[in-house]
Amino acid sequence: MLTEQSAYTNRWRRVSPFAKGCFSLCGMIASFAAGSPRTALLVALIMTTTTTVGAGIPPLRYLRVASPALLFLAASGVSLFISLDFGSSTGGISIHPALGELPHIAMVCCRSLASLTSLLFLALTTPLPDIISLLRRCKFPDTLLDLMFLCYRTLFVLSEAVHETIIAQSSRLGYATVTLSLRSLGGLIANLTIQVWQRSQALHLAAMARNSDGALKFLENSYPHSAKSISIAATAGVLTITMAVMLP
Amino acid sequence: MHIMEGFLPIRHAIGWSAVSAPFVAYGLYTINKRVKEYPEQRMLLGVAAAFTFVLSALKMPSVTGSCSHPTGTGLGAIMFGPAAMAPIGMVVLLFQAILLAHGGLTTLGANIFSMAIVGPFAAAAIYRTAQAVRLPFGVAIFLAASLANLLTYVTTSAQLAFAFPDPSGGFAVSFAKFAGVFAITQIPLAISEGLLTVVVMNALVRFNARELQEMKVTVVQEVQA
């Protein structure tokens, strides 16, 4: 996953996740506080520049990660732009562009873009285990955090199993037709369901063998100059929000 | 079908999060209860979350010739119960937002409501009703999986229509617009997911009946796809 690669190799990998989470949250608040599409675009520009120039994420990789979401945003914008009229003179349904709604649609799309860049800042600079540690500090329920840890640690194992099964099935023409594809996919998911059960049993046995008393506990990373990073991030975030509120 | 980051107005984002929170809390309560009784289920539910995430990365052929991914809401609700699917769905949606930029953090509440609450509860209710009226097992599975998928998309359309009512026709016209636009892809996908879930259950019953019994899934007969 491109996001994971960036999260582990970026320049700000050793910066406190609390600082990065704080700046990302401020970016989202600024997106919603922006009073015009221009201001929201400015917030998006700040967040993108911070991610690419500050954290050193290559712009092309950034674009590759953002492109599915950007396409989805474009489709959502188009669906807002279309208006239906059920009471047309011909008695049918007429479709026409909602020209009067353009400023509102522009605002929604630009806000969404700004918010997306804030999310991408966090996703591309902070590995998921660090985000889970951050949530643990924010007193999220232990059961939910355990689910997250287990999910994160097994999803790559399951992805590999899926990849290998698909290779095996494809080499036997398992995906040659639509009917065969459906049957192969059904077999793959059924096999995976059983693997889920078997792997969870093995994990449980391994945990019991190590005197597990229930909750999963992990050592947390320590980050140098954490207080300094947090104060810089908070200041930058507050400045971004202030700019979004002040600009027309 | 996820609502993307920042797309909903702030009041709607907070409102949907508030609506979803009690379901997630109840789901966590049921999980805690289950884990106390069966400690091995802690690992099972965690791996199940990874399983649901991996399912969303699989390409599923649609009857229109296009392809998309299965949601797994119907299968998950039947295998693990609808209440447990709310926290599992929350974890999966959070991971999709952070790892794939699919969905978002501000729209997490709305997406949880449509995909991890309405979908699984609808699937469980349809499955039980179908069993109560003695429909064949395969039909019950198909109806549960496909209607859960369909209801998820209807809920998302309603959420969008509620946030962006049509200037002239209000909520109803806006709902017809969103539902109409998404129906082109979602109805064939719902049928495909229904068929796929039948094939999955068929394979499970045929080859892994013992494991299913140990997982406490009550499947007693083979399903005809």
Side-chain angles (χ1 to χ4, degrees):
Chain A
M1 269 176 258
L2 280 175
T3 320
E4 278 292 276
Q5 282 175 23
S6 302
Y8 278 102
T9 55
N10 72 86
R11 207 178 285 152
W12 287 347
R13 167 72 183 92
R14 304 304 307 166
V15 172
S16 159
F18 193 83
K20 290 182 277 191
C22 178
F23 185 63
S24 174
L25 180 68
C26 289
M28 284 181 194
I29 295 171
S31 316
F32 281 93
S36 67
R38 199 179 49 180
T39 312
L41 282 179
L42 198 59
V43 173
L45 187 69
I46 290 170
M47 298 310 289
T48 308
T49 311
T50 313
T51 313
T52 52
V53 179
I57 306 294
L60 265 178
R61 184 185 293 174
Y62 185 88
L63 210 60
R64 277 181 66 190
V65 173
S67 54
L70 291 176
L71 280 173
F72 196 68
L73 178 61
S76 304
V78 170
S79 64
L80 283 181
F81 186 60
I82 297 168
S83 185
L84 299 183
D85 188 3
F86 286 94
S88 66
S89 52
T90 53
I93 305 167
S94 66
I95 300 171
H96 56 89
L99 290 172
E101 287 294 297
L102 260 182
H104 176 59
I105 296 166
M107 186 65 236
V108 170
C109 291
C110 292
R111 180 185 69 207
S112 190
L113 182 69
S115 204
L116 174 71
T117 54
S118 306
L119 171 70
L120 285 177
F121 167 77
L122 182 69
L124 290 166
T125 59
T126 318
L128 208 68
D130 288 4
I131 296 176
I132 298 172
S133 302
L134 180 64
L135 294 176
R136 196 179 291 278
R137 279 194 197 177
C138 299
K139 305 289 177 200
F140 259 58
D142 277 343
T143 313
L144 202 59
L145 296 171
D146 285 353
L147 282 183
M148 286 185 195
F149 258 115
L150 284 167
C151 177
Y152 181 72
R153 284 171 185 254
T154 40
L155 73 91
F156 297 101
V157 178
L158 291 180
S159 299
E160 189 59 30
V162 165
H163 181 66
E164 285 173 1
T165 311
I166 288 177
I167 289 175
Q169 289 176 324
S170 303
S171 65
R172 292 161 179 81
L173 300 178
Y175 293 92
T177 64
V178 173
T179 317
L180 278 176
S181 298
L182 202 65
R183 187 171 294 173
S184 299
L185 199 60
L188 188 153
I189 295 173
N191 183 274
L192 208 62
T193 309
I194 297 304
Q195 276 199 43
V196 164
W197 180 79
Q198 288 169 339
R199 283 177 195 275
S200 70
Q201 293 291 308
L203 278 173
H204 177 67
L205 274 180
M208 293 298 282
R210 288 159 181 79
N211 295 326
S212 165
D213 61 348
L216 302 170
K217 297 179 184 79
F218 295 91
L219 287 174
E220 289 195 10
N221 290 327
S222 57
Y223 299 93
H225 316 298
S226 188
K228 190 180 162 192
S229 320
I230 293 168
S231 51
I232 291 172
T235 311
V238 169
L239 282 175
T240 311
I241 296 172
T242 313
M243 181 214 72
V245 173
M246 302 289 277
L247 283 179
Chain B
M1 201 174 110
H2 302 51
I3 301 176
M4 77 168 292
E5 178 61 61
F7 203 70
L8 289 181
I10 190 72
R11 277 183 301 172
H12 289 253
I14 293 171
W16 287 114
S17 301
V19 171
S20 299
F23 289 93
V24 176
Y26 177 69
L28 285 174
Y29 167 75
T30 58
I31 287 178
N32 280 331
K33 219 167 119 182
R34 268 168 80 167
V35 166
K36 264 187 196 156
E37 207 173 336
Y38 308 103
E40 69 277 8
Q41 296 250 328
R42 178 190 300 275
M43 299 296 182
L44 177 64
L45 292 168
V47 184
F51 170 64
T52 315
F53 183 89
V54 171
L55 272 190
S56 69
L58 292 175
K59 284 191 170 58
M60 174 175 72
S62 169
V63 288
T64 51
S66 65
C67 68
S68 183
H69 64 83
T71 60
T73 49
L75 185 65
I78 293 164
M79 301 291 289
F80 309 111
M85 281 306 285
I88 289 178
M90 180 186 169
V91 171
V92 173
L93 287 165
L94 186 68
F95 275 41
Q96 285 179 339
I98 293 172
L99 294 175
L100 308 172
H102 194 41
L105 298 183
T106 59
T107 52
L108 191 63
N111 287 331
I112 288 173
F113 187 76
S114 62
M115 302 197 77
I117 295 169
V118 173
F121 275 96
I126 293 162
Y127 178 63
R128 280 178 196 165
T129 311
Q131 281 201 320
V133 296
R134 295 182 182 281
L135 282 179
F137 187 76
V139 177
I141 293 284
F142 175 79
L143 287 177
S146 53
L147 290 178
N149 185 312
L150 214 58
L151 278 170
T152 298
Y153 120 81
V154 168
T155 309
T156 308
S157 300
Q159 287 171 326
L160 287 170
F162 190 43
F164 305 106
D166 192 82
S168 52
F171 172 84
V173 171
S174 184
F175 176 72
K177 180 179 75 175
F178 284 114
V181 167
F182 296 127
I184 302 162
T185 53
Q186 286 299 323
I187 290 174
L189 284 174
I191 296 169
S192 298
E193 175 140 14
L195 290 173
L196 182 69
T197 311
V198 172
V199 175
V200 171
M201 294 309 286
N202 196 9
L204 280 172
V205 172
R206 188 179 291 173
F207 303 117
N208 303 95
R210 190 174 58 83
E211 282 87 349
L212 276 182
Q213 271 183 343
E214 287 178 47
M215 284 170 83
K216 295 179 176 56
V217 178
T218 49
V219 182
V220 289
Q221 54 187 314
E222 193 173 310
V223 187
Q224 291 304 314

